[in-house]
Amino acid sequence: MATRGGVVAILLTAFLVSCAEKTAVKTDLKDQNPHNPVTPSRVTVAPSTPPPPPPLVAPTYMEVDPFENKTFTMSAVDAPLTKVLYAIADGAGLNLILSPEVDPNITITATFTKVPMREALDIIMDMTGLYYEIVGNVLYVKAIMTKTFKLPYIHTVTEYTSSLGGDVLGGALAFGGGFAGTTTATVLGAGGIGGTGLRGNFTVDYRNTQGSTDFYGQIEANLKELLSEKGKYVLNRFTGTLVVTDYRRNVEKVEAFLKKLKDQVSKQVVIEAKIVELALSDEFQYGIDWQVFFRDVFGTGANVILSQNLSIPTGGYASISVVSTDLNVLINALASYGKVYTLSNPRVMVSNGQTALIATGVVTPFFERQAITIVPGTTPTTQVQENIVRTNVLEGILLGVTPFIDDEGNVILNIVPVSTRLEGTKTLERDGEVLAEAPILNIKEAGTVVRVRDGDLVVIGGLIGDVKGTEERKVPGLGDLPLLGYVFKHKKEFKEKRELIIFLRPRVVRGSL
């Protein structure tokens, strides 16, 4: 009985302890008063939260290389390709499928002694011009492959033509125009101007046609030469996507060609230009002797890479120099020869082989009447319809620069500067009525191709012309008074010699954009 009573006491104690864990009684003994007992407050304890389940880990799949740790040994002379491929596939535990376009008569002469199996297969593919793919447990050998290329290029087509010179003796007025790129001086007989027929023609054309700048058109023309008769391609010009299908070797030729092409096209050149006019002082009316100028600036001339004179079609001489120095040094030195006027200071970035055009000045319109005679087929009357034709003339500077970067990082520049100044107008009148009006232009132009190092400075000078203008001088304040101001100011016409000087500095943009 005592034992049974002990067990009952233990169970009762365990029951009371478990109840005490679930409900705690809070009593503030400090504030307890025997006459005013405090009612115990009950605080419920939330059960403990179970720990989160372990995270699920995705299973890892590893691709097994069927050629891993396997070698290939073979010694054969004119062995059929099919037997060699069967031996490799069998050694790797693969099935073999030959594409129908694979020539079954291909033979191989080679010796392999414990060569890694994948390396041996790659050598055989290079020998035969084939390629392979492993699909599951199948070795698939093919002759025709398809590859997609991206051509990141803006689809733009530009055209640029500059013609310098012309018929210097006026013979073209009687016998028609000359031929571009030729120099002629021919006595044609008594029918020429003044009975001599003598004419002289010197014209240099710098042409950048649309066909030469059509990037995608050039690619299509080259693809036709690189692909076989079975080869074909699809070119999307909008997205720059090219898909080529042909024998492996031809596709690899296309890939190498496009890589070289993209490397060249991705090159860019920053061209810094500064165009100034120098109002020559009295002692330098015949222009600057640039060889003396550079000797005075640099002393020994170590910074001068090239300095030579150029004969220009419009008469006179220009000069081109290539120096390695700071532009500000030359500008400061020019101030000792006269007053320097800055006409333009552009900075442009142009892709390799593309033309950058820099123009600054004022466009002046000219108008002329153009008569169109209309003769009806059945009536004897004649109708004359007149149209007004507008011609725009740029008075200022037009500079065309085309850079090309060679493999050594040097820059070949095709430079064509043209300067025009409006000297006046010439009118064609009939019975006191003006029929047409044409500008009288003072033109200075030159054209040259020069090879410079990256960062060198190209100086083009010697383009000299007369400038006429009016200069006004007045007393400040008093000269602005109405009517009375004429007493305190006067105008004077002036004529001065000015030399046009062009500075160009090409810098190759390094790295990919």
Side-chain angles (χ1 to χ4, degrees), residues 154-184:
I154 299 176
H155 187 198
T156 58
V157 178
T158 59
E159 184 175 4
Y160 166 64
T161 302
S162 177
S163 179
L164 307 179
D167 191 347
V168 296
L169 298 181
L173 297 177
F175 301 101
F179 298 95
T182 63
T183 304
T184 60

Side-chain angles (χ1 to χ4, degrees), residues 29 163 174 190 199 201 210 221 257 286 315 346 381 498 503:
L29 299 178
S163 179
R199 70 175 183 179
N201 182 52
Q210 290 186 359
F257 165 74
Y286 294 101
T381 59
R498 290 192 180 183
F503 300 94

Side-chain angles (χ1 to χ4, degrees), residues 260-485:
K260 184 67 175 179
L261 182 65
K262 288 192 290 185
D263 289 343
Q264 292 294 330
V265 171
S266 62
K267 296 179 181 178
Q268 297 192 88
V269 181
V270 175
I271 299 177
E272 301 176 8
K274 193 175 187 67
I275 304 174
V276 302
E277 266 192 340
L278 178 64
L280 298 169
S281 56
D282 294 338
E283 56 182 316
F284 301 107
Q285 290 296 297
Y286 294 101
I288 299 176
D289 187 338
W290 288 97
Q291 292 183 353
V292 176
F293 173 80
F294 290 127
R295 186 177 64 235
D296 294 341
V297 173
F298 303 121
T300 59
N303 291 334
V304 180
I305 302 172
L306 169 68
S307 182
Q308 67 180 38
N309 293 328
L310 298 174
S311 179
I312 58 177
T314 52
Y317 290 91
S319 65
I320 182 170
S321 304
V322 180
V323 297
S324 177
T325 186
D326 186 7
L327 177 60
N328 293 328
V329 174
L330 300 183
I331 296 295
N332 294 333
L334 286 176
S336 61
Y337 289 80
K339 189 175 182 180
V340 180
Y341 299 91
T342 300
L343 303 183
S344 182
N345 191 24
R347 185 175 185 269
V348 297
M349 179 180 289
V350 59
S351 296
N352 188 25
Q354 298 297 311
T355 300
L357 292 178
I358 301 171
T360 178
V362 179
V363 176
T364 304
F366 289 87
F367 301 92
E368 64 175 329
R369 292 181 179 179
Q370 186 180 68
I372 302 176
T373 303
I374 303 176
V375 181
T378 56
T379 59
T381 59
T382 300
Q383 301 177 2
V384 178
Q385 179 180 353
E386 292 186 351
N387 295 329
I388 302 299
V389 180
R390 172 177 173 173
T391 303
N392 294 325
V393 175
L394 174 65
E395 182 183 9
I397 305 293
L398 178 64
L399 177 63
V401 182
T402 305
F404 177 78
I405 308 170
D406 61 17
D407 294 336
E408 288 75 26
N410 300 313
V411 183
I412 301 173
L413 294 175
N414 184 354
I415 308 171
V416 183
V418 180
S419 172
T420 58
R421 187 183 302 277
L422 184 62
E423 300 288 345
T425 58
K426 187 74 174 179
T427 58
L428 177 63
E429 300 181 2
R430 184 178 62 189
D431 299 332
E433 183 181 6
V434 178
L435 299 180
E437 184 181 19
I440 300 176
L441 295 175
N442 183 348
I443 299 178
K444 296 185 284 290
E445 58 184 359
T448 184
V449 178
V450 61
R451 182 174 180 265
V452 300
R453 297 179 306 185
D454 181 16
D456 285 342
L457 185 64
V458 180
V459 183
I460 302 176
L463 303 175
I464 304 175
D466 295 326
V467 177
K468 299 178 181 179
T470 303
E471 183 181 22
E472 182 182 84
R473 295 183 178 180
K474 62 182 177 179
V475 178
L478 298 177
D480 297 329
L481 295 176
L483 299 179
L484 188 61

Side-chain angles (χ1 to χ4, degrees), residues 159-237:
E159 184 175 4
Y160 166 64
T161 302
S162 177
S163 179
L164 307 179
D167 191 347
V168 296
L169 298 181
L173 297 177
F175 301 101
F179 298 95
T182 63
T183 304
T184 60
T186 309
V187 178
L188 298 179
I193 295 179
T196 63
L198 183 66
R199 70 175 183 179
N201 182 52
F202 184 88
T203 305
V204 179
D205 284 346
Y206 293 88
R207 297 183 181 271
N208 192 0
T209 61
Q210 290 186 359
S212 63
T213 59
D214 187 355
F215 178 76
Y216 292 114
Q218 292 284 337
I219 288 180
E220 290 191 89
N222 297 137
L223 286 176
K224 295 176 182 178
E225 300 296 329
L226 295 174
L227 297 179
S228 66
E229 295 181 356
K230 293 185 178 181
K232 57 184 179 180
Y233 68 91
V234 176
L235 175 60
N236 189 307
R237 298 188 176 210

Side-chain angles (χ1 to χ4, degrees), residues 57-64:
V57 179
T60 303
Y61 297 96
M62 297 181 62
E63 185 176 353
V64 179

